[in-house]
Amino acid sequence: NGRWLMATLAPLRDTRADAAKRKRERKSAHRDKAYTAWIHQFGCFICGKEAEQHHWPYRSHTDWHDKFSLMLCSEHHRGGTGFHLLTKEGFEKLHKVNVAAEIERLNKLYEGVKK
């Protein structure tokens, strides 16, 4: 009977509030306010200019975390020679850098500062 099936499934449904709460919890699990505050003292790791935080993998990926980030100026972040336009491989090739190594270096530096 269709009514019985609907009645048994009804409690399993998500409300919008439940879904929004889960999304906030997932997002906060990837945040590290102390690291974010610390990394913002640095300029762009390519040119040294005032910079913004760039996450790799991007924040839209499920495995992002604030500790997987570095500082890039607007040109090197979103501009013509930037990460978002060139992709990781193109960015690394053009600027002769290793993004993963820079992120690892920043994390080691941060761990030394925290102690």
Side-chain angles (χ1 to χ4, degrees), residues 11-67:
L12 299 178
R13 287 191 190 139
D14 248 351
T15 65
R16 282 188 178 160
D18 291 337
K21 181 181 177 189
R22 268 197 330 283
K23 185 175 181 178
R24 282 191 308 274
E25 288 170 352
R26 279 193 312 269
K27 191 175 180 180
S28 68
H30 300 279
R31 292 247 180 244
D32 187 327
K33 290 180 182 180
Y35 183 82
T36 296
W38 175 81
I39 198 172
H40 274 82
Q41 71 181 310
F42 300 107
C44 175
F45 99 98
I46 300 294
C47 68
K49 290 183 182 174
E50 186 175 330
E52 51 200 30
Q53 192 172 6
H54 169 74
H55 292 83
W56 180 254
Y58 299 125
R59 286 177 49 182
S60 58
H61 292 215
T62 56
D63 56 347
W64 76 273
H65 193 281
D66 278 339
K67 285 190 176 178

Side-chain angles (χ1 to χ4, degrees), residues 65-112:
H65 193 281
D66 278 339
K67 285 190 176 178
F68 304 144
S69 62
L70 46 88
M71 299 302 286
L72 294 172
C73 67
S74 59
E75 172 59 29
H76 291 122
H77 192 191
R78 293 172 271 110
T81 60
F83 198 101
H84 286 276
L85 182 68
L86 299 175
T87 72
K88 180 179 180 281
E89 292 76 21
F91 181 84
E92 289 180 327
K93 185 176 180 180
L94 176 67
H95 298 291
K96 296 174 178 52
V97 296
N98 182 322
V99 170
E102 176 63 11
I103 291 171
E104 185 177 336
R105 184 188 74 79
L106 286 169
N107 277 278
K108 285 180 181 176
L109 187 60
Y110 179 69
E111 290 304 318

